[in-house]
């Protein structure tokens, strides 16, 4: 079977974005940043910084109180849900548990935005699904049920489903959760080579500095900084965002900043 792969990329522009539950204070306040087509942006910050809230605004789950999210210049809330799903794919922290579907059937869900009515997958859809399975090294798992897989294997399935969606922008919420060190590195290496624009939240600053083109630091619902890892992830910025001290040297393989952390000494 000939493998089909379409690579699309989109720019992302976020302006003055704010969101919070109705009747409560805003969790995210006046966030503004841009991501160029094909760029990989890592969002970092402490627990409760607003990272997941920000991502939910980017993939049209939370409608912002103020501000806008534009993909290739188009406001995502001016699109239909189907049109938005053809532009943006997401991989969430929460993974399905007991699922009666096979891996192939899960990955095939990525083709739903392209179906009309109750139509089944056509020849091109099957080629796209095969390409996504191959890309995530899941050919041998295709007929297994999702519930039989490990957490890391399930994560790869969710990324394959996103790839099958043929998006221009992929949003990943803590994609390295459930993965051992080897599979973290494999996934992030693959993430850089996916083709679409990538926005991912990450806990590990070392991984963010190594695999992202740019890093956005979020704390207290506000953007503290945004730029190349070496410019943004300074000792003072890490202290401000995470309330820890850090020693920074250079990672020898990629030349990225490398961090070691310790708690501040109080006198």
């Amino acid at each position: 079977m000939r493998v089909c792969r379409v690579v699309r990329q989109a720019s992302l522009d976020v302006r003055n974005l704010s969101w919070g539950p109705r009747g409560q204070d805003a969790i995210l306040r006046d966030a503004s940043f841009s991501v160029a087509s094909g760029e990989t942006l890592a969002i970092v910050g402490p627990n409760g910084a607003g990272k997941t809230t920000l991502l939910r605004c980017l993939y049209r789950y939370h409608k912002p109180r103020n501000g806008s999210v534009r993909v290739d210049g188009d406001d995502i809330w001016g699109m239909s849900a189907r049109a938005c799903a053809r532009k943006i794919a997401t991989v969430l922290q929460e993974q399905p548990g007991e699922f009666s579907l096979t891996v192939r059937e899960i990955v095939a869900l990525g083709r739903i935005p392209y179906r009309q009515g109750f139509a089944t997958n056509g020849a091109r859809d099957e080629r796209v699904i095969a390409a996504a399975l191959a890309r995530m090294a899941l050919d041998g798992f295709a007929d297994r049920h999702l519930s039989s897989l490990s957490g890391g294997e399930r994560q790869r399935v969710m990324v394959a489903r996103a790839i099958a969606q043929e998006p221009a922008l992929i949003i990943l919420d803590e994609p390295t959760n459930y993965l051992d060190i080897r599979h973290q590195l494999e996934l992030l290496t693959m993430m850089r080579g996916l083709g679409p624009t990538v926005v991912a939240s990450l806990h590990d600053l070392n991984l963010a500095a190594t695999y992202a083109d740019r890093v956005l630091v979020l704390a207290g619902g506000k953007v503290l900084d945004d730029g190349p890892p070496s410019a943004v992830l300074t000792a003072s910025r890490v202290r401000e965002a995470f309330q820890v001290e850090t020693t920074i040297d250079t990672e020898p393989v990629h030349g990225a900043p490398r961090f070691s952390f310790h708690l501040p000494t109080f006198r």
Side-chain angles (χ1 to χ4, degrees), residues 15-96:
R15 288 288 156 240
N16 304 315
L17 192 68
S18 298
W19 184 87
R22 181 174 297 179
Q24 299 182 35
D25 292 339
I27 295 174
L28 184 70
R29 298 187 294 280
D30 297 320
S32 295
F33 60 94
S34 296
V35 186
S37 294
E39 200 168 40
T40 296
L41 174 73
I43 300 173
V44 304
N47 291 339
K51 298 188 298 296
T52 295
T53 296
L54 173 56
L55 294 186
R56 287 175 175 172
C57 290
L58 301 187
Y59 60 80
R60 225 180 87 128
Y61 183 84
H62 286 329
K63 188 169 186 177
R65 288 183 180 179
N66 301 294
S68 63
V69 177
R70 295 182 180 274
V71 176
D72 280 343
D74 297 324
D75 192 312
I76 62 173
W77 286 97
M79 304 178 186
S80 67
R82 180 186 293 270
C84 192
R86 290 180 177 181
K87 285 265 193 179
I88 304 171
T90 60
V91 179
L92 305 180
Q93 285 189 57
E94 302 83 6
Q95 296 182 345

Side-chain angles (χ1 to χ4, degrees), residues 28-210:
L28 184 70
R29 298 187 294 280
D30 297 320
S32 295
F33 60 94
S34 296
V35 186
S37 294
E39 200 168 40
T40 296
L41 174 73
I43 300 173
V44 304
N47 291 339
K51 298 188 298 296
T52 295
T53 296
L54 173 56
L55 294 186
R56 287 175 175 172
C57 290
L58 301 187
Y59 60 80
R60 225 180 87 128
Y61 183 84
H62 286 329
K63 188 169 186 177
R65 288 183 180 179
N66 301 294
S68 63
V69 177
R70 295 182 180 274
V71 176
D72 280 343
D74 297 324
D75 192 312
I76 62 173
W77 286 97
M79 304 178 186
S80 67
R82 180 186 293 270
C84 192
R86 290 180 177 181
K87 285 265 193 179
I88 304 171
T90 60
V91 179
L92 305 180
Q93 285 189 57
E94 302 83 6
Q95 296 182 345
E98 293 303 316
F99 227 138
S100 61
L101 298 180
T102 66
V103 168
R104 187 187 305 278
E105 289 168 336
I106 293 289
V107 175
L109 295 176
R111 303 306 298 163
I112 288 177
Y114 300 93
R115 293 180 191 166
Q116 297 297 326
F118 295 100
T120 58
N121 288 327
R124 186 180 183 284
D125 296 310
E126 293 299 332
R127 290 195 296 270
V128 172
I129 293 164
L133 288 167
R135 191 71 189 281
M136 297 307 296
L138 291 168
D139 300 285
F141 296 83
D143 296 321
R144 288 179 56 178
H145 284 85
L146 192 70
S147 58
S148 72
L149 304 185
S150 69
E153 290 163 346
R154 292 184 192 184
Q155 190 76 314
R156 284 160 55 199
V157 174
M158 295 301 111
V159 175
R161 180 205 53 75
I163 293 171
Q165 208 167 318
E166 294 186 294
L169 169 65
I170 292 183
I171 296 172
L172 304 103
D173 192 1
E174 298 295 345
T176 55
N177 278 1
Y178 310 106
L179 301 182
D180 59 29
I181 296 171
R182 176 184 175 85
H183 287 99
Q184 286 183 18
L185 299 179
E186 286 181 347
L187 179 62
L188 290 171
T189 299
M190 196 170 296
M191 185 178 79
R192 278 191 66 95
L194 285 177
T197 306
V198 174
V199 175
S201 63
L202 293 170
H203 271 304
D204 192 319
L205 297 190
N206 288 302
L207 293 178
T210 301

Side-chain angles (χ1 to χ4, degrees), residues 222-236:
K222 293 185 176 181
V223 175
L224 297 186
D225 213 340
D226 169 29
S230 59
V232 169
L233 295 176
T234 63
S236 60

